[in-house]
Amino acid sequence: MIKLQDVSVIRQGRPTLDNVSFEINKGEQWAIIGPNGAGKSTMLSLFATTTLPSKGDVFIMGHKVGTIEVSKLREHMGYVTAHHQLDWPMTARDIVLTAFTNTLETPMRWVASSEQLAIANAQLEKFGLTQVADTTWRGLSQGELGRCFLARAALTKPSLLLLDEPAAGLDLAAREQVLDLISELRIEDPELTSVMITHHLEELPSTTTHAALMAHGKIVAQGSAEVILTSENLSETFGIPINVNYSHGRWSTRSGK
């Protein structure tokens, strides 16, 4: 599904990604973890085709980026981020409907068909958002907004789901709702491939299969999540003692001091 070959991204004369090679196969659920400035967001933007490499090659769903219209690739992607910047007073329903236009905001003069409205309303119900369907995004809680973006990303049954800190800023209940929904998407479609970036192991859904640890623009460890997400590896990646606990399919951390 995704392959990076000797990829570097240079910004302001400095590599935010430094000669990275990486591969993700269909059906795998990856977590990319590391401290601020490690290169996680740059990596995800390569997967989303919003950033091009300064060096090396990026392949998405078997196509080399730069040899195919990115709009064709994005038709098969879902993208969720807590950092979407919305300017217009869009409602929860409007946000979900933009899955059909593959835009962050409703295009001018675009009107949803009755069939599209029915599909969006069904998606709102599935994600527990029917009661706030006509509420503008400023009136939504962080949890409701997070579920809106997840509902939008899942609407068109993507092959690749990209998750940029989808639980960031959520309270405990809202976080667990979002993580349960992510797990349900994998259960519904075992071939769905997903990549999540986060700082916190507590934000990983139970369906996570693989993990990569990043520091200073490089991948320092990658493989099976249960093998990679250890106290030793996390302590080395973050540069401080960290104890990792794994129980009932979920991870947690605390200071190793």
Side-chain angles (χ1 to χ4, degrees):
M1 289 295 288
I2 297 173
K3 186 175 184 179
L4 306 187
Q5 289 185 331
D6 303 318
V7 168
S8 295
V9 176
I10 310 297
R11 290 176 176 161
Q12 298 180 338
R14 295 177 58 251
T16 56
L17 279 188
D18 189 5
N19 202 38
V20 171
S21 294
F22 186 56
E23 190 168 328
I24 293 176
N25 298 309
K26 180 183 287 189
E28 294 176 346
Q29 314 285 296
W30 279 80
I32 300 178
I33 297 163
N36 288 331
K40 304 184 301 299
S41 294
T42 301
M43 178 93 83
L44 201 72
S45 68
L46 286 170
F47 301 162
T49 69
T50 57
T51 292
L52 296 177
S54 305
K55 169 185 170 292
D57 297 316
V58 178
F59 297 85
I60 307 294
M61 290 176 269
H63 299 280
K64 183 178 177 180
V65 175
T67 64
I68 183 175
E69 291 182 29
V70 293
S71 60
K72 298 294 184 184
L73 296 175
R74 291 173 185 172
E75 288 175 1
H76 305 284
M77 294 182 189
Y79 184 44
V80 179
T81 176
H83 312 296
H84 278 315
Q85 296 296 316
L86 298 175
D87 296 321
W88 298 99
M90 298 170 65
T91 65
R93 183 183 290 106
D94 292 333
I95 292 172
V96 173
L97 282 168
T98 57
F100 292 112
T101 60
N102 200 20
T103 57
L104 284 180
E105 297 186 342
T106 307
M108 291 182 64
R109 293 183 291 279
W110 183 81
V111 178
S113 68
S114 57
E115 181 182 6
Q116 289 170 329
L117 280 171
I119 293 171
N121 286 333
Q123 189 78 337
L124 288 162
E125 182 177 3
K126 176 180 177 179
F127 283 77
L129 296 164
T130 300
Q131 291 185 332
V132 296
D134 296 308
T135 302
T136 62
W137 68 270
R138 287 187 176 89
L140 299 174
S141 69
Q142 283 295 106
E144 289 164 344
L145 190 57
R147 280 184 281 145
C148 273
F149 287 131
L150 190 58
R152 172 192 183 275
L155 184 67
T156 54
K157 308 294 184 184
S159 301
L160 177 61
L161 183 62
L162 305 176
L163 303 161
D164 181 2
E165 299 186 83
L170 302 186
D171 63 28
L172 178 61
R175 183 189 75 185
E176 293 305 307
Q177 283 182 320
V178 166
L179 296 184
D180 285 347
L181 287 167
I182 292 171
S183 295
E184 287 172 18
L185 293 176
R186 165 62 189 267
I187 294 168
E188 291 173 3
D189 180 7
E191 292 193 344
L192 174 67
T193 305
S194 72
V195 186
M196 174 190 285
I197 65 172
T198 182
H199 303 94
H200 308 292
L201 267 61
E202 289 82 358
E203 295 180 355
L204 297 182
S206 60
T207 48
T208 303
T209 61
H210 293 75
L213 303 180
M214 294 191 70
H216 309 297
K218 295 180 178 291
I219 294 177
V220 296
Q222 60 178 298
S224 167
E226 291 185 38
V227 172
I228 296 300
L229 300 178
T230 65
S231 299
E232 181 181 2
N233 286 340
L234 268 292
S235 297
E236 182 177 351
T237 300
F238 283 87
I240 61 170
I242 296 174
N243 282 331
V244 176
N245 180 60
Y246 179 71
S247 177
H248 299 95
R250 295 287 297 276
W251 287 266
S252 61
T253 61
R254 61 180 176 84
S255 171
K257 294 182 179 180

